[in-house]
Amino acid sequence: MEPVEILRWGASISGIVAAFMIALDHGRRVTGLGFALFVVSSMAWVTGALIGGDEPLLSQNLVLFGINVFGVYRYLIRKEPA
């Protein structure tokens, strides 16, 4: 298997696990860790898209990267709202 395929499979599997963690709704920490895993997944997808020249996948995951960073901030960094 080529390295880019390993990267894409890792991105896919980590995205599935992250979605499951967020869907579980086991509190702010688990949800925040799910978003952190989504950040890793979207970075892997961006890298794979750059290597493969897949512009639609690249643009989608650049936007998702920003959304996921906001999720990390909201659930892991920001204080819980009163």
Side-chain angles (χ1 to χ4, degrees):
M1 189 180 307
E2 295 183 30
V4 71
E5 286 300 310
I6 295 169
L7 178 70
R8 289 179 179 171
W9 274 108
S12 179
I13 292 167
S14 63
I16 291 167
V17 172
F20 185 68
M21 289 172 71
I22 291 171
L24 284 174
D25 193 23
H26 276 292
R28 294 181 64 81
R29 182 164 171 80
V30 173
T31 299
L33 291 173
F35 275 113
L37 188 54
F38 262 141
V39 166
V40 172
S41 176
S42 58
M43 287 185 339
W45 278 120
V46 164
T47 304
L50 283 170
I51 292 169
D54 191 345
E55 292 176 9
L57 184 64
L58 174 64
S59 62
Q60 173 190 353
N61 279 283
L62 285 173
V63 171
L64 290 174
F65 175 79
I67 293 168
N68 295 327
V69 167
F70 176 69
V72 168
Y73 167 75
R74 184 166 184 237
Y75 287 95
L76 291 180
I77 298 171
R78 184 178 75 169
K79 301 284 186 211
E80 188 172 350

